[in-house]
Coordinates of all heavy atoms in Angstrom, one line a residue:
I2 N 248.7 -109.6 99.4 CA 247.8 -108.5 99.6 C 247.8 -107.6 98.5 O 246.6 -107.1 97.9 CB 248.0 -107.9 101.0 CG1 247.6 -108.8 102.0 CG2 247.1 -106.6 101.0 CD1 248.1 -108.4 103.5
R3 N 248.9 -107.3 98.1 CA 249.1 -106.4 96.9 C 248.4 -106.9 95.6 O 247.9 -106.1 94.9 CB 250.6 -106.1 96.7 CG 251.2 -105.3 97.8 CD 252.7 -105.0 97.4 NE 253.3 -104.3 98.5 CZ 254.6 -103.9 98.6 NH1 255.5 -104.3 97.6 NH2 255.1 -103.2 99.6
A12 N 236.2 -105.0 91.9 CA 235.0 -105.7 92.3 C 234.1 -104.7 93.0 O 232.8 -104.7 92.7 CB 235.3 -106.8 93.2
V13 N 234.6 -103.9 93.8 CA 233.8 -102.8 94.5 C 233.1 -102.0 93.5 O 231.9 -101.6 93.6 CB 234.6 -102.1 95.6 CG1 233.9 -100.9 96.1 CG2 234.9 -103.0 96.8
L15 N 232.6 -102.5 90.4 CA 231.5 -103.2 89.6 C 230.3 -103.4 90.4 O 229.1 -103.1 89.9 CB 232.1 -104.6 89.1 CG 233.2 -104.4 88.1 CD1 233.8 -105.8 87.7 CD2 232.8 -103.8 86.8
A27 N 213.6 -87.6 83.6 CA 212.7 -86.4 84.0 C 211.5 -86.4 83.0 O 211.7 -86.7 81.8 CB 213.5 -85.1 83.9
A60 N 148.5 -44.6 32.0 CA 147.5 -44.7 31.2 C 147.7 -43.8 29.9 O 148.5 -42.8 30.1 CB 146.2 -44.1 31.8
P65 N 143.2 -33.8 23.5 CA 142.1 -32.8 23.7 C 140.8 -33.1 23.0 O 139.8 -32.7 23.6 CB 142.9 -31.4 23.2 CG 144.3 -31.7 23.4 CD 144.4 -33.2 23.0
Q82 N 122.1 -30.1 26.3 CA 122.3 -30.3 24.7 C 123.2 -29.2 24.2 O 124.1 -29.6 23.5 CB 121.1 -30.5 24.0 CG 120.2 -31.6 24.4 CD 119.2 -31.3 25.4 OE1 119.2 -30.2 25.9 NE2 118.3 -32.3 25.8
S90 N 131.8 -29.4 19.1 CA 132.4 -28.5 18.1 C 133.9 -28.4 18.4 O 134.8 -28.3 17.5 CB 131.6 -27.1 18.1 OG 130.4 -27.3 17.8
P100 N 135.3 -39.4 14.8 CA 134.1 -40.3 14.6 C 133.0 -40.3 15.6 O 131.8 -40.5 15.3 CB 134.7 -41.7 14.6 CG 136.2 -41.5 15.4 CD 136.5 -40.1 15.1
E105 N 127.4 -38.6 17.1 CA 126.4 -38.0 18.2 C 126.0 -36.7 17.9 O 125.0 -36.2 18.5 CB 127.2 -38.0 19.5 CG 127.7 -39.4 20.0 CD 126.6 -40.3 20.3 OE1 125.4 -39.8 20.6 OE2 126.8 -41.6 20.4
G117 N 113.5 -27.1 22.8 CA 112.9 -25.8 22.6 C 111.5 -25.8 22.4 O 110.7 -25.0 22.9
A119 N 109.5 -28.1 23.5 CA 108.8 -28.4 24.7 C 108.7 -27.2 25.6 O 107.7 -26.9 26.4 CB 109.5 -29.6 25.5
A120 N 109.8 -26.4 25.7 CA 109.7 -25.2 26.6 C 108.6 -24.2 26.0 O 107.9 -23.6 26.8 CB 111.0 -24.4 26.5
M134 N 117.7 -20.6 19.2 CA 118.7 -19.9 18.7 C 120.1 -20.7 18.8 O 121.0 -20.5 17.8 CB 118.9 -18.6 19.5 CG 117.8 -17.6 19.3 SD 117.8 -16.8 17.7 CE 119.2 -15.7 17.8
A144 N 129.6 -31.5 11.0 CA 129.3 -32.9 11.5 C 127.9 -33.3 11.2 O 127.5 -34.5 11.2 CB 129.5 -32.9 13.0
D156 N 113.1 -23.7 8.9 CA 112.1 -24.1 9.9 C 112.2 -23.4 11.3 O 111.4 -22.8 12.0 CB 112.0 -25.6 10.1 CG 111.6 -26.2 8.8 OD1 110.8 -25.6 7.9 OD2 112.0 -27.4 8.5
G159 N 111.9 -19.6 11.4 CA 110.6 -19.2 11.5 C 110.0 -19.3 12.8 O 109.2 -18.4 13.2
Q160 N 110.3 -20.3 13.5 CA 109.8 -20.4 14.9 C 110.3 -19.2 15.8 O 109.5 -18.6 16.6 CB 110.2 -21.8 15.7 CG 109.5 -22.9 15.0 CD 110.1 -24.2 15.7 OE1 111.2 -24.6 15.5 NE2 109.2 -24.9 16.5
T165 N 109.3 -13.9 18.3 CA 109.8 -12.5 18.6 C 108.6 -11.5 18.2 O 108.3 -10.6 18.9 CB 110.9 -12.2 17.7 OG1 112.1 -13.0 18.1 CG2 111.4 -10.7 17.9
G179 N 99.1 1.1 29.3 CA 99.7 1.6 30.6 C 100.4 0.6 31.5 O 100.9 0.9 32.5
A186 N 108.9 -6.3 30.5 CA 109.3 -7.7 30.7 C 109.3 -8.5 29.3 O 110.1 -9.4 29.0 CB 108.3 -8.4 31.6
D195 N 117.9 -13.0 21.9 CA 118.4 -12.3 20.7 C 118.9 -10.9 21.1 O 118.1 -9.8 21.0 CB 117.2 -12.1 19.8 CG 117.6 -11.5 18.5 OD1 118.9 -11.5 18.2 OD2 116.7 -11.1 17.6
H204 N 112.5 -0.1 22.2 CA 111.3 0.0 22.9 C 111.6 -0.1 24.5 O 110.9 0.6 25.3 CB 110.4 -1.1 22.5 CG 109.7 -0.8 21.1 ND1 109.4 0.3 20.7 CD2 109.5 -1.8 20.2 CE1 108.9 0.2 19.5 NE2 108.9 -1.1 19.0
L205 N 112.5 -1.0 24.8 CA 112.7 -1.2 26.2 C 113.4 0.2 26.8 O 113.1 0.5 28.0 CB 113.8 -2.3 26.3 CG 114.4 -2.6 27.8 CD1 113.2 -3.0 28.7 CD2 115.5 -3.7 27.7
K206 N 114.2 0.8 26.0 CA 114.9 2.1 26.5 C 113.8 3.1 26.9 O 113.7 3.8 27.9 CB 115.8 2.5 25.6 CG 116.6 3.7 26.1 CD 117.6 4.2 25.1 CE 118.3 5.5 25.5 NZ 119.4 5.9 24.7
T209 N 111.5 2.1 29.8 CA 112.3 2.2 31.1 C 112.4 3.7 31.6 O 112.2 4.0 32.8 CB 113.6 1.6 31.0 OG1 113.5 0.2 30.6 CG2 114.4 1.7 32.3
K222 N 96.8 13.0 45.2 CA 96.0 13.4 46.4 C 94.6 12.9 46.2 O 93.9 13.1 45.2 CB 96.1 14.8 46.7 CG 97.6 15.2 47.1 CD 97.6 16.7 47.6 CE 98.9 17.1 47.9 NZ 99.1 18.6 48.3

Side-chain angles (χ1 to χ4, degrees):
I2 292 172
R3 290 179 178 179
V13 170
L15 290 175
Q82 297 91 356
S90 297
E105 300 293 340
M134 291 293 284
D156 297 332
Q160 289 178 290
T165 301
D195 185 12
H204 291 320
L205 176 62
K206 183 178 180 180
T209 302
K222 294 182 180 180

